[in-house]
């Protein structure tokens, strides 16, 4: 056996080795260095708290169900897919025809709305609008006609219809691109999940290993109808209810439960704090989340001047039925603004995305932080942690180091979003793993950050779904012995779209029993009979 002392190897010595000898050394180093790193990391893991080791073990264990989910894929109803493509193409052609007529009548020539160069010439040349700039791939600020720019053009009366036409056509074009994604010969669409694809620990997905499929974690709800259950199976989608918001509440509870007035004042960056301490301060937002409908509670707290009914059971319908601005009801606006505010959204930025005046956001945030001052304290605490340590750890023990500038607001926003989003990913993945271990008859189909899609035998749905929901629950103990569980909501049907007048067999909230008849298997009779089931 030939022995190589790798500690003395250099480029000169490698150059005189044969190709085979160089390959031996490369492969040997690859194995040995990996083993050395593994042993070092495992030694470090042994010194960590139990929740850190549990998170690591969960990450390893979920490789099996995720691999199975990737290989299984989801059946695509080709008739539904083609029908959707034809409908969208008709809409796109109609919009394009109208857009080109405007261009010819006003500017004398048609325009390729897919071309950034021609769009820049239209908006910044012919219409002479103020340039919207963004840093490009070369790091240079340059004029752009991206979505944000087109939405900004809405402030110009004469540019508004053109920008809206282009946005609508881009959206449809993107939907068509997804629907035309290549699927496998067995009529299934597959994706490849990466358990280490994000900094938060959440899954990422992309094209399958066979070169087909695509990212299935960001599928427009309008395009889910062709995703269909297999013969004799029943689709179930399980969501974590308001997971990110509840996780924000849990973080505030853990961080601030034991603080006194002086510590709170220091966190809030004010001279003195005369407000509540203990659970009244630390747990106010979590209590609001767990008291019922969070967005209705926030709406009630933020706009107490509305003529609220005396009957609390009518509050949700009341605030959801009054338009606050644009097409958003007061409840919808509270949901958008509350989520954005939790994640350190500034009034100016949020106003741009919500399409509301900045003053509305400023007034909302003033009232919101007044009701939930612990959220402001959490922002400031996180910023200080990033400035001084550059590291955050979730209640599940998942630690992340932030390498961005400690005084940069973009780093702060990433840090503030990290813990709640990471917790949501951990909660849904642990639920997914528990289902896979306990119910072999349940077939996992997809994971979408805060929800999972699976199918099970229709005949077993009534008794199996409650057991699955119970098994999926993940409970941790917060400071002071408070148990914390994000509730789950299930919807069932025979395709991934949501049920409406045009989609009779879509997902419908699970109430304990499916009251619809099964869809006819005629279109897939051969598959149905091959499964061994009876009609």
């Amino acid at each position: 056996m030939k022995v190589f002392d790798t500690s003395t190897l250099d480029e000169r010595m490698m150059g005189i080795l044969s190709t085979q000898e160089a390959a031996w050394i490369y492969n040997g180093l690859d194995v040995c260095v990996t083993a050395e790193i593994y042993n070092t990391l495992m030694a470090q893991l042994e010194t960590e708290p139990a929740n850190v080791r549990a998170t690591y073990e969960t990450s390893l264990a979920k490789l099996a169900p995720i691999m199975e989910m990737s290989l299984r894929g989801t059946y695509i109803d080709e008739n539904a897919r083609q029908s959707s493509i034809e409908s969208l193409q008709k809409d796109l052609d109609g919009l394009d025809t109208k857009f080109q007529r405007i261009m010819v009548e006003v500017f004398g020539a048609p325009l390729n709305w897919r071309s950034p160069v021609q769009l820049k010439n239209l908006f910044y040349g012919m219409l002479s609008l103020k340039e919207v700039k963004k840093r490009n791939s070369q790091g240079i600020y340059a004029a752009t006609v991206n979505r944000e720019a087109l939405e900004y053009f809405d402030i110009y009366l004469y540019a508004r219809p053109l920008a809206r036409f282009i946005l609508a056509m881009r959206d449809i074009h993107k939907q068509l691109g997804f629907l035309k994604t290549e699927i496998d010969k067995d009529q299934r669409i597959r994706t490849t999940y990466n358990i280490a694809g994000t900094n938060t620990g959440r899954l990422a997905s992309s094209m399958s290993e066979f070169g087909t499929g695509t990212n299935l974690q960001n599928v427009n709800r309008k395009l889910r109808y062709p995703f269909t259950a297999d013969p004799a199976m029943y689709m179930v989608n399980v969501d974590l209810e308001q997971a990110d918001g509840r996780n924000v509440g849990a973080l505030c509870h853990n961080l601030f439960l034991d603080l006194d007035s002086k510590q709170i004042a220091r966190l809030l960056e004010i001279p003195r704090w005369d407000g509540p301490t203990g659970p009244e301060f630390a747990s106010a937002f979590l209590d609001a989340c767990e008291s019922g409908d969070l967005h209705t509670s926030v709406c009630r707290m933020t706009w107490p001047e509305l003529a609220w009914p005396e009957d609390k059971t009518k509050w949700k319908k009341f605030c959801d039925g009054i338009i606050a601005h644009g097409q958003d009801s007061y409840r919808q606006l509270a949901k958008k603004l509350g989520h954005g505010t939790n994640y350190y959204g500034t009034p100016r930025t949020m106003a741009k995305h919500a399409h509301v005046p900045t003053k509305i956001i400023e007034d909302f945030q003033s009232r919101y932080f007044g009701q939930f001052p612990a959220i402001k304290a959490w922002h400031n605490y996180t910023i200080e942690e990033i400035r001084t340590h550059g590291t955050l750890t979730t209640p599940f023990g998942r630690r992340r180091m932030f390498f961005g500038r400690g005084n940069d607001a973009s780093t702060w926003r990433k840090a503030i979003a990290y813990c709640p989003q990471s917790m949501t990913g951990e909660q849904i993945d642990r639920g997914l793993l528990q289902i896979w271990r306990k119910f072999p008859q349940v077939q996992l189909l997809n994971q979408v950050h805060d929800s999972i899609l699976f199918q099970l035998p229709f005949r077993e749905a009534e008794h199996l779904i409650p057991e699955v929901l119970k098994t999926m629950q993940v409970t941790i103990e917060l400071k002071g012995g408070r148990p914390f569980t994000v509730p789950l909501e299930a919807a069932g049907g025979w395709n991934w779209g949501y049920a409406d007048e045009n989609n009779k067999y879509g997902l419908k909230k699970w109430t304990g029993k499916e009251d619809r008849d099964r869809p006819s298997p005629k279109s897939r009779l051969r598959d149905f009979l091959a499964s061994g089931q009876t009609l």
Side-chain angles (χ1 to χ4, degrees):
M1 177 185 292
K2 198 166 187 177
V3 178
F4 296 95
D5 182 0
T6 55
S7 66
T8 62
L9 283 177
D10 55 26
E11 289 186 16
R12 183 188 63 80
M13 293 181 66
M14 290 294 291
I16 64 176
L17 296 175
S18 68
T19 302
Q20 189 175 41
E21 289 173 333
W24 289 342
I25 292 173
Y26 176 85
N27 290 336
L29 285 172
D30 194 36
V31 172
C32 293
V33 172
T34 302
E36 186 179 349
I37 293 171
Y38 172 79
N39 291 332
T40 301
L41 291 177
M42 290 305 295
Q44 292 179 10
L45 189 62
E46 290 301 317
T47 66
E48 296 287 349
N51 64 340
V52 177
R53 295 195 295 274
T55 297
Y56 171 73
E57 289 165 3
T58 299
S59 295
L60 291 182
K62 70 186 181 185
L63 278 168
I66 288 170
M67 173 68 78
E68 184 179 293
M69 191 163 59
S70 297
L71 291 173
R72 175 177 293 115
T74 307
Y75 183 85
I76 297 296
D77 185 327
E78 188 61 24
N79 290 333
R81 181 164 77 137
Q82 291 303 323
S83 176
S84 298
I85 289 174
E86 291 171 9
S87 177
L88 286 172
Q89 189 64 56
K90 183 178 178 180
D91 291 343
L92 180 59
D93 292 343
L95 287 172
D96 192 25
T97 298
K98 294 173 183 177
F99 178 76
Q100 298 303 341
R101 181 177 178 183
I102 293 173
M103 296 306 301
V104 170
E105 294 290 340
V106 177
F107 299 101
L111 180 138
N112 180 6
W113 52 268
R114 297 178 180 85
S115 168
V117 173
Q118 292 191 33
L119 290 182
K120 288 177 186 178
N121 182 51
L122 170 64
F123 290 110
Y124 302 135
M126 291 184 282
L127 295 178
S128 301
L129 303 185
K130 180 182 177 181
E131 288 188 349
V132 177
K133 294 186 176 182
K134 184 180 180 180
R135 195 183 299 276
N136 60 24
S137 57
Q138 286 76 42
I140 301 171
Y141 274 102
T144 181
V145 283
N146 62 7
R147 185 177 192 89
E148 186 176 348
L150 292 173
E151 290 177 346
Y152 174 76
F153 296 154
D154 207 60
I155 66 173
Y156 299 104
L157 182 63
Y158 47 89
R160 183 184 305 158
L162 301 178
R164 290 183 177 179
F165 258 111
I166 294 165
L167 283 170
M169 290 188 291
R170 279 184 177 178
D171 286 344
I172 295 176
H173 182 69
K174 183 177 180 181
Q175 292 173 33
L176 281 168
F178 173 78
L179 287 172
K180 293 178 181 179
T181 298
E182 182 182 359
I183 62 176
D184 295 316
K185 292 181 180 179
D186 59 358
Q187 206 56 35
R188 307 183 80 83
I189 189 168
R190 294 177 171 85
T191 189
T192 296
Y193 296 94
N194 184 351
I195 68 167
T198 67
N199 289 321
T200 60
R202 301 199 303 180
L203 297 181
S205 69
S206 58
M207 179 185 293
S208 77
E209 299 295 349
F210 308 103
T212 57
T214 185
N215 171 15
L216 295 182
Q217 293 182 287
N218 194 29
V219 181
N220 190 313
R221 286 197 172 194
K222 298 178 182 178
L223 307 180
R224 294 180 177 181
Y225 168 68
F227 291 74
T228 308
D230 285 303
M233 302 297 276
Y234 184 71
M235 268 187 172
V236 181
N237 193 82
V238 178
D239 281 284
L240 292 170
E241 290 189 60
Q242 302 170 354
D244 283 12
R246 291 173 186 268
N247 287 331
V248 168
L251 289 166
C252 291
H253 172 93
N254 265 6
L255 289 170
F256 310 132
L257 187 64
D258 299 330
L259 298 192
D260 57 30
S261 297
K262 290 183 179 180
Q263 292 170 314
I264 293 173
R266 187 162 57 250
L267 270 176
L268 293 175
E269 299 177 345
I270 56 177
R272 181 175 176 178
W273 173 254
D274 295 322
T277 59
E280 289 184 60
F281 175 82
S283 310
F285 188 67
L286 182 55
D287 291 341
C289 291
E290 295 184 340
S291 64
D293 182 69
L294 170 65
H295 309 309
T296 299
S297 299
V298 171
C299 191
R300 163 80 172 168
M301 294 173 182
T302 308
W303 292 288
E305 68 274 10
L306 295 177
W308 293 90
E310 292 185 8
D311 185 353
K312 293 183 178 180
T313 62
K314 297 180 179 179
W315 284 358
K316 179 179 179 180
K317 185 176 180 181
F318 170 75
C319 63
D320 212 15
I322 305 175
I323 297 299
H325 194 277
Q327 296 183 340
D328 286 332
S329 68
Y330 274 96
R331 184 178 177 277
Q332 289 168 327
L333 196 58
K335 179 179 179 180
K336 285 183 179 180
L337 303 188
H339 187 74
T341 300
N342 284 351
Y343 285 160
Y344 203 63
T346 63
R348 183 178 177 183
T349 301
M350 289 174 59
K352 186 185 299 183
H353 291 295
H355 307 292
V356 299
T358 304
K359 184 67 167 60
I360 288 182
I361 313 294
E362 292 173 343
D363 291 345
F364 173 85
Q365 289 193 342
S366 176
R367 293 170 177 173
Y368 191 75
F369 288 135
Q371 292 291 338
F372 307 116
I375 292 179
K376 185 68 174 178
W378 169 58
H379 290 168
N380 293 341
Y381 166 86
T382 303
I383 290 169
E384 186 58 28
E385 285 293 300
I386 293 303
R387 282 173 170 167
T388 55
H389 305 295
T391 302
L392 292 174
T393 304
T394 74
F396 286 101
R398 187 179 289 276
R399 183 167 59 243
R400 177 182 172 186
M401 293 181 285
F402 292 82
F403 299 105
R405 295 180 180 178
N407 290 320
D408 193 320
S410 65
T411 305
W412 300 344
R413 280 189 287 272
K414 290 177 184 176
I416 287 168
Y418 166 65
C419 283
Q421 291 183 351
S422 178
M423 290 171 68
T424 297
E426 194 70 33
Q427 287 154 341
I428 199 68
D429 284 350
R430 291 192 180 197
L432 177 151
L433 177 60
Q434 289 166 186
I435 289 176
W436 181 78
R437 283 173 167 168
K438 187 173 180 180
F439 302 104
Q441 66 271 56
V442 173
Q443 297 179 355
L444 298 169
L445 299 175
N446 197 9
Q447 189 261 43
V448 189
H449 303 310
D450 64 350
S451 68
I452 59 171
L453 177 71
F454 56 85
Q455 61 182 13
L456 44 78
F458 176 66
R459 292 178 175 179
E460 300 182 44
E462 193 170 329
H463 79 269
L464 198 53
I465 291 175
E467 290 297 316
V468 167
L469 292 176
K470 183 178 178 181
T471 301
M472 275 190 68
Q473 287 189 333
V474 176
T475 302
I476 59 175
E477 185 176 296
L478 302 180
K479 188 176 288 187
R482 178 171 179 167
F484 173 64
T485 305
V486 177
L488 301 162
E489 183 176 65
W494 288 269
N495 66 67
W496 196 18
Y498 277 84
D500 57 29
E501 59 183 11
N502 298 316
N503 184 18
K504 179 181 177 182
Y505 296 110
L507 297 176
K508 183 179 178 182
K509 185 175 180 180
W510 180 257
T511 57
K513 186 176 183 179
E514 176 57 73
D515 54 8
R516 294 169 292 180
D517 293 329
R518 287 189 297 175
S520 170
K522 290 181 180 179
S523 61
R524 294 170 54 207
L525 184 59
R526 184 180 302 169
D527 290 340
F528 192 88
L529 295 176
S531 69
Q533 301 295 324
T534 56
L535 293 175

